[in-house]
Structures are given as C-alpha cells and as structure tokens.
Amino acid sequence: MFANSLTRSTFSFTYNSGGDSRDTLTVEVDIPAQCEPAERHELARRLVNAHRLPGYVHDELEGKLTEFLANEADKYLAKSAAESLIRVRGLDTAEVNELVDQWAGLFATECARYSTKLVPSDDLLFADIYKSVCNSPALESLVNLEHSYAVQVNQLLGQRDSEIERLLCEQTAQREAMVTSGRHSDSEITRQLANHMETMQTLELRWSSELSLVTDGQRREFKRWVMAAYEDLENVYGSSCIMERARKLNAAVNQPRSDIIKGLLYLNVGTGRSSE
C-alpha cells in the first residue's frame, strides 16, 4: 500500500593516490541497495575500474562502501517508517485492517525466512501418542504392562545382588584362609586378590548386559503395544477394540512372564495386525 521509491545518496571516498597527494571519489548510490557481500565486492571492483583508481584501495573502498550503505539504509528505513505512520493516521478502519493484514503476512514471511524449521522427533511424537493412550480406556492395561516390566526387572536385580553377594562371601573366605594359613606369600595373596576382582568385574558386566537386553526388549515391546493401542483408538471401532485388548491383557499379566509375549502376539493376531 505504501510503496517507497529508491533515493540517491552521495558517497565520498578519499584515498591516497601516491606520495602525499590524496584524491576523493564521489558517486551517487541508490538507497536502499540490496547487496550481498559478493555484490558489494563486485561494486567496489567496478568503481575501481571505472574511475581508474589504484588497485590497492579496493579493500578500503569496499569497507567504506559497506559502512556507508548500512548507515544510509538505516536512515532511509527510519524516514520511511515515520512517513508511513503519518499516512496511517488518515486511514479509515477498513484500510487500517487491510494494512495490518499485509504487514502481518510480510512479518511472518520474513521470520520464516530466517527461522529454523523444527521437525518433531520420534520421541516427541511417541510422547503425544502415549498421552492419548493414557487418556483412553486402555490406561489400566498400560499400567498393568508397566507393572509387569517392573516386576521382571526387580526379580533380575534381586538375582544379580544375590549372586554378587555369594561370590563376595566366597572370595572373602578364600582370602582370609590364605592369610591365616601362613603358607602363602604376599605376591600370591596379591595375585589371588587380582583374580577375585577380575571375576567380580566379569560377573557385573554379565548382569549389566543381561539387564540391558531385557530393558531394551521391554522398551521395544512397550512401544509396539502403545502404537497398536493408539491405532485402535483411531479405527472405525472406536473404543470397543481398546476394551477388548484391555481385558485380554489383564488376563495375560497374571500368567508367567514367558507367556506375556505370547499373549501380546495373540492380541495382534486377533486384530489382524503383525507383531512387527
């Protein structure tokens, strides 16, 4: 609505032309000048060639030209903004609304040009899906499934702690026997201690690996179940399929842990869905 024409401003550049003499270059420049750094570099080169300036002034000329264009552009925009505000005061409501719509569109376009587009991560998308399932009739089944995972992990942790405690007691007894017998040198006791430490580290690593395998499997299984439940929420059967899945899973979690995966596979097969 308020198109502003370009203005021309005088650019002056004083340089050393050799010895103690100095010359001044004066040219008219369009303001605002939409110049990228490469274009400003080219403009400075053309000025040097057109006015037969010494080649060594190119870099200084480009720097002064860049500073001049930036300052003049600020002045031009400030003046244009002030003139636009003065003209706005004479507009009626309809014209003001039209102008606001135009400015809003231009502002959004300009922001989008320099903003970083955010792509939702898989974890963020899954969090939204999980929240939807939590607010559905499948919540009880979800809680039961999470509980079954916690029970399994706690059982493994108990077995790990018992085995580590048993090995620690055996190693302590062996070392005490070696010390009290008096038939072993310090080097032999040290070697035995090193062997005990290595054995303990191996045991801890084995349990850490086993726990990681179990929890990773639980995580994959849990994600598949949540995604399947969410799909049921979206299908044509509404929440009835969710209720059926809930009843079946409630029965499944009361079975031995080895049967739970079979129950989950059965739920997927029963709805015509692959477990993959």
Side-chain angles (χ1 to χ4, degrees):
M1 179 176 292
F2 299 128
N4 293 302
S5 60
L6 296 177
T7 63
R8 297 184 67 82
S9 184
T10 302
F11 169 66
S12 296
F13 172 65
T14 302
Y15 60 94
N16 187 343
S17 59
D20 295 333
S21 62
R22 299 181 65 82
D23 292 330
T24 299
L25 168 68
T26 302
V27 294
E28 295 293 320
V29 180
D30 289 335
I31 302 296
Q34 301 296 331
C35 291
E36 298 295 333
E39 295 173 328
R40 290 196 297 270
H41 179 83
E42 178 64 18
L43 177 59
R45 187 186 67 81
R46 290 182 179 182
L47 289 175
V48 169
N49 293 336
H51 297 274
R52 301 182 181 277
L53 304 181
Y56 57 80
V57 304
H58 177 276
D59 291 343
E60 183 182 1
L61 172 61
E62 183 179 352
K64 294 293 184 180
L65 184 61
T66 300
E67 182 181 356
F68 172 79
L69 292 175
N71 292 335
E72 292 300 314
D74 288 342
K75 295 177 183 178
Y76 171 83
L77 293 176
K79 180 180 178 182
S80 298
E83 292 175 351
S84 296
L85 290 175
I86 292 174
R87 289 196 293 269
V88 165
R89 295 192 181 101
L91 299 179
D92 57 28
T93 303
E95 291 175 323
V96 170
N97 290 336
E98 180 184 355
L99 182 61
V100 169
D101 291 338
Q102 291 181 6
W103 284 357
L106 292 173
F107 179 79
T109 301
E110 187 71 7
C111 289
R113 178 183 177 186
Y114 295 101
S115 63
T116 302
K117 294 183 179 179
L118 299 178
V119 179
S121 64
D122 291 341
D123 291 339
L124 184 59
L125 293 175
F126 180 75
D128 290 338
I129 292 175
Y130 176 78
K131 183 178 179 180
S132 298
V133 175
C134 287
N135 293 325
S136 75
L139 176 59
E140 182 179 357
S141 299
L142 190 64
V143 172
N144 288 336
L145 183 60
E146 291 177 339
H147 176 71
S148 70
Y149 290 157
V151 169
Q152 183 188 18
V153 171
N154 285 334
Q155 289 175 349
L156 290 176
L157 289 174
Q159 295 173 13
R160 180 202 62 181
D161 293 343
S162 297
E163 190 168 347
I164 290 177
E165 180 67 22
R166 178 184 59 78
L167 178 60
L168 183 61
C169 291
E170 291 178 358
Q171 292 177 344
T172 301
Q174 291 175 7
R175 291 195 298 271
E176 290 178 351
M178 291 180 66
V179 172
T180 56
S181 67
R183 297 193 300 269
H184 299 278
S185 63
D186 291 343
S187 61
E188 290 177 332
I189 296 175
T190 301
R191 284 196 299 271
Q192 183 67 9
L193 177 61
N195 291 335
H196 286 173
M197 294 178 62
E198 183 177 355
T199 302
M200 180 64 71
Q201 290 177 352
T202 301
L203 179 62
E204 291 175 345
L205 288 174
R206 179 174 67 80
W207 273 107
S208 177
S209 177
E210 183 171 347
L211 285 167
S212 294
L213 289 174
V214 171
T215 54
D216 288 344
Q218 288 179 345
R219 190 177 296 107
R220 290 191 297 270
E221 178 185 303
F222 180 77
K223 187 173 183 178
R224 286 197 299 269
W225 190 93
V226 170
M227 296 299 295
Y230 181 76
E231 290 175 7
D232 288 340
L233 288 173
E234 299 296 323
N235 68 16
V236 295
Y237 298 105
S239 62
S240 60
C241 192
I242 290 289
M243 295 299 296
E244 180 65 18
R245 185 182 294 271
R247 288 193 293 268
K248 291 181 179 179
L249 187 59
N250 286 337
V253 294
N254 293 323
Q255 301 173 13
R257 185 65 189 87
S258 60
D259 293 338
I260 290 182
I261 295 180
K262 296 179 181 178
L264 291 170
L265 293 175
Y266 168 74
L267 295 179
N268 287 331
V269 172
T271 56
R273 183 181 294 105
S274 172
S275 61
E276 296 180 353

